[in-house]
Amino acid sequence: MLYNLAVKNFKRYRVIHGIQISIGALAVMIMFDFSLMGADAKLMQVIGNTILSRSFLFLFTLVVAGLLILFSTYWNRLLMRQRYQEIGQLALMGMPTLKILLAFAIEFLLSQIIALGIGLCLGLLFYKLLVMILLKVSYVNFAIGFYFNWRALLPVILLIPILQVILFLNNLITIKRLSLLRLLKPKRPNVPEILPLWQLQLLSLLVLGLLLGGAQGFVNLFSVDDFLAQQLNISLVAGLCLAILLLSIAWILGLMGLWRIVIPTVILCLRRFKKLYFIQQRIFTISEISRWSFRNVKSLTGITLLLGLAFTFLGMGALVSRYGLNTIDNYTPYSLLATANKQVEIDQILKRDKVVAQVQPIFQTKILPVNYNLDTVVGHNYRSNADPSMVMTQATYNRFARYRGLKTLKLKPNQAGIIMPVTSILKAASKKDIAAQKPVVQVGTYAQLKLQITSITN
Amino acid sequence: MILTATHLSKIYGTTLNLTKALQNVSLNVGTGEFLGIMGPSGAGKSTLLNILSTLDQPTSGQVWIGDQDISQLRGQQLASFRRKELGFIFQDFNLLEALTVEENIILPLTFNKTPAQQVNAELSRVTTVLNLTQLLQRYPAELSVGQRQRVAAARALVVKPKILFADEPTGSLDSYSATELLQYLQLLNQSSQMAIVMVTHDAFTASFCKRILFIKDGQIFSEIVRKNSRQEFFDRIMDMQATIGGGGKTNALQSGS
Ligand SMILES: Nc1ncnc2c1ncn2[C@@H]1O[C@H](COP(=O)(O)OP(=O)(O)O)[C@@H](O)[C@H]1O
Ligand SMILES: [Mg+2]
């Protein structure tokens, strides 16, 4: 009985389950692939000491799993709210709450198992592709084949019981909180006020602009904060905070507008094409989607905000770790700044200065990061605690330069600059001495630098 | 008496913003009676019906159904009491969209663990009376509003409740479907010992009842009993509505909520 009801409901709400399955499958695929990579010993030998280390892969798997759980919980809430009346009816007919919830749990389990199946297949299928892309980014040559490992499967499969328990408890709390009367109350469609279409279209463009601007701003975060700090004559830290605040606001407003304005407008425009209606044939129709999305506009906004914020923070985290951590590094500012096609000249300069450098580009940008090991530069008497690798964009460099009153760089596409700060190589024999001599630097200030700036032209 | 309610009051809200939805309402419903509850919008009709039908608790007062004080029932006991003794019909047709008409109708019996033989007997009993035999394999989405409401009625009646509660059952129906449904209900009421308590704003719908309570501002305002023809009863209802004020289309629309 329970199972029958669940299967029938699953078929009935196939559109909603379909969306959940697609997103779930995607998440499972990503999780599975990262989990596989972590387990792939041969692969880890090659890329293990780049940014794609095992712990990074593990962290990423966790983050994806967390996002999937968040999304599923929210989606489940949306689905439940859609079906309060159904629950009310069942309760009214005397079905115990636990059984009702069990029927829902079976229904969700069906879509989760399908998502898992599809996700695992996709994961196996695209493993090679994904790894190849990552290797390409890392400039590592490695022949990669298909790979499978039971241990890697475990965390992915474990996700389902965890998810089930979370959803079940969540639904139990929701239903227990509501009275039977509240459950039986017919839902009133939540139709937003409709402005004239041209105004909506204009607003939609504005919202899209806002989102685009926000995205651009985040990508260029460290130019934006510099700009703000200069224009408003405030400190760089304040500028950075202000920039993040402004961009977050733009991003949040944009996301809200996406659901409140852009998507309704798109639906309103689509509605004019009568051919898109197939109500009688019971096909996935515009009218069905539009009714549904108007009714659930609030919850959908919530979901988007949640996901949007999650990705924003993820992106910001990546940005900050990539640039920010280096810029506020307490110890070591060595860096090398150049356009990628200047490798030959750079090699010459490094050779002239007797610096043994290991060139290992990680990101395919205009900037060429150079890693070199201090030990090989100045011998064993000199040590540094810092990871001797650093990437600096022109904007970042110029920020320091301005701060230190140095010459700023204006690189043309065919120009490269090399910056070789030397001061934070610590002359010390023991770790204790290093601790004593470590320059104390606060965020936004910088250790004593002696900079050599060399410009190379073709 | 199948139902006795004494001194029912219902107060909504906080001390700052009190709504006295019901004040000291007492009433009886006889076995096999067809009682109507009428009154202007916001008079407290739905509140009263919800309390009588165990869906809501009164702030004070008591309700007895049969010889059961319903305030004594909790949780699973209450659910089982509802399932076995009471039937419900609402203005918007509460059907499970994923199930066929047949599955919808027999659903309450599956919860009662009724033997298959009896399930079939009950099914054919209600579907014959409500003229649904042709529609059993359809899905709710494929039915007209009138048909859907008849399915809802069939589902309420399949367990042979002692008392059927209906809140604006004809509120969303056209006059033809409404008449049809009311005639079926009347038939069932006459042929069995099932009592019906029906909330309505509509004089025509109410004219199918045997007795009508008018409530206004949460209190019983007056009561009229049918003596002669339905036409004569209808005229008296209209008169009373005029006296009490209110009613009409807006009431029907609001009382669904
Ligand atoms: N859940 C509630 N919370 C607060 N007030 C309510 C609630 N339900 C009903 N009321 C109030 O109680 C009064 C009676 O409502 P109701 O019984 O629905 O009227 P009717 O069905 O006669 O139109 C109205 O004033 C209404 O606003
Ligand atoms: Mg009402």
Side-chain angles (χ1 to χ4, degrees), chain A residues 6 37 159 217 221 260 312 362 368 371 394 403 416:
Chain A
M37 278 182 215
L159 191 67
L221 184 61
R260 293 257 162 190
T312 309
I362 294 172
L368 186 72
N371 295 340
Q394 180 171 285
Y403 189 77

Side-chain angles (χ1 to χ4, degrees), chain B residues 42 45-47 167-168 199 251 254-257:
Chain B
K45 305 184 294 292
S46 298
T47 307
D167 195 345
E168 300 279 0
V199 163
N251 196 337
Q254 285 168 4
S255 47
S257 57

Side-chain angles (χ1 to χ4, degrees), chain A residues 181 185, chain B residues 10-13 19-22 39-50 56 167-168 199 215 218 251 254-257:
Chain A
L181 265 184
K185 215 158 111 182
Chain B
K10 180 75 180 178
I11 296 171
Y12 285 115
T19 311
K20 288 185 182 168
L22 280 186
S41 175
K45 305 184 294 292
S46 298
T47 307
L48 177 60
L49 194 82
N50 289 338
D56 204 356
D167 195 345
E168 300 279 0
V199 163
I215 58 174
N251 196 337
Q254 285 168 4
S255 47
S257 57

Side-chain angles (χ1 to χ4, degrees), chain A residues 1 5 8-9 12-13 85-86 89-97 99 180-181 184-186 188 282, chain B residues 50 55-56 76 79 82-83 88 90 92 94-99 103 107-108 110-111 141 155 256-257:
Chain A
M1 228 292 294
L5 191 65
K8 285 185 167 151
N9 275 323
R12 159 83 199 167
Y13 294 101
Q85 260 201 329
E86 193 182 316
Q89 283 180 68
L90 290 170
L92 192 63
M93 280 184 271
M95 192 169 179
T97 316
K99 278 199 177 165
L180 187 54
L181 265 184
L184 284 167
K185 215 158 111 182
R188 257 173 254 119
R282 314 183 89 230
Chain B
N50 289 338
L55 294 181
D56 204 356
Q76 215 41 55
R82 266 188 211 129
R83 180 171 67 199
F88 298 87
F90 299 95
D92 59 312
N94 282 319
L95 297 176
L96 297 175
E97 303 284 329
L99 303 183
E103 290 164 333
L107 198 59
T110 26
F111 295 135
R155 195 179 63 185
S257 57

Side-chain angles (χ1 to χ4, degrees), chain A residues 68-275:
Chain A
L68 182 65
I69 288 176
L70 265 183
F71 170 81
S72 299
T73 327
Y74 216 98
W75 194 255
N76 157 70
R77 244 185 76 191
L78 203 105
L79 214 109
M80 292 289 280
R81 195 169 298 169
Q82 187 79 356
R83 294 165 65 178
Y84 279 172
Q85 260 201 329
E86 193 182 316
I87 297 167
Q89 283 180 68
L90 290 170
L92 192 63
M93 280 184 271
M95 192 169 179
T97 316
L98 278 181
K99 278 199 177 165
I100 299 176
L101 287 176
L102 214 59
F104 273 87
I106 295 174
E107 195 181 326
F108 292 137
L109 187 66
L110 282 176
S111 72
Q112 282 162 13
I113 287 180
I114 295 177
L116 182 78
I118 297 176
L120 290 181
C121 290
L122 287 178
L124 282 177
L125 216 66
F126 288 111
Y127 178 66
K128 196 170 163 175
L129 187 74
L130 197 68
V131 175
M132 267 170 15
I133 291 172
L134 285 174
L135 288 182
K136 188 114 189 134
V137 174
S138 311
Y139 288 97
V140 178
N141 284 324
F142 179 62
I144 186 86
F146 286 98
Y147 180 74
F148 178 75
N149 184 317
W150 286 106
R151 275 231 324 274
L153 199 62
L154 197 68
V156 186
I157 290 190
L158 218 63
L159 191 67
I160 288 205
I162 295 176
L163 206 53
Q164 278 288 330
V165 170
I166 292 177
L167 294 188
F168 192 84
L169 289 179
N170 191 12
N171 292 342
L172 185 69
I173 293 167
T174 316
I175 292 191
K176 284 281 178 200
R177 235 188 36 222
L178 295 171
S179 68
L180 187 54
L181 265 184
R182 168 71 187 78
L183 286 172
L184 284 167
K185 215 158 111 182
K187 46 187 176 277
R188 257 173 254 119
N190 199 343
V191 181
E193 289 163 41
I194 306 269
L195 295 170
L197 195 60
W198 68 268
Q199 280 186 24
L200 279 175
Q201 285 165 343
L202 204 74
L203 272 174
S204 299
L205 284 182
L206 270 175
V207 168
L208 289 178
L210 203 63
L211 275 175
L212 214 68
Q216 272 299 319
F218 267 121
V219 170
N220 298 310
L221 184 61
F222 289 93
S223 311
V224 176
D225 75 331
D226 194 29
F227 176 78
L228 283 177
Q230 283 220 330
Q231 294 298 315
L232 303 176
N233 204 6
I234 49 180
S235 80
L236 271 172
V237 177
L240 184 68
C241 292
L242 190 64
I244 290 180
L245 190 73
L246 286 179
L247 290 174
S248 295
I249 289 174
W251 195 235
I252 288 172
L253 285 181
L255 282 172
M256 301 240 279
L258 194 68
W259 284 105
R260 293 257 162 190
I261 298 163
V262 180
I263 290 176
T265 308
V266 170
I267 288 173
L268 285 178
C269 293
L270 283 178
R271 268 187 184 181
R272 307 204 146 180
F273 304 103
K274 289 276 189 289
K275 275 187 191 160

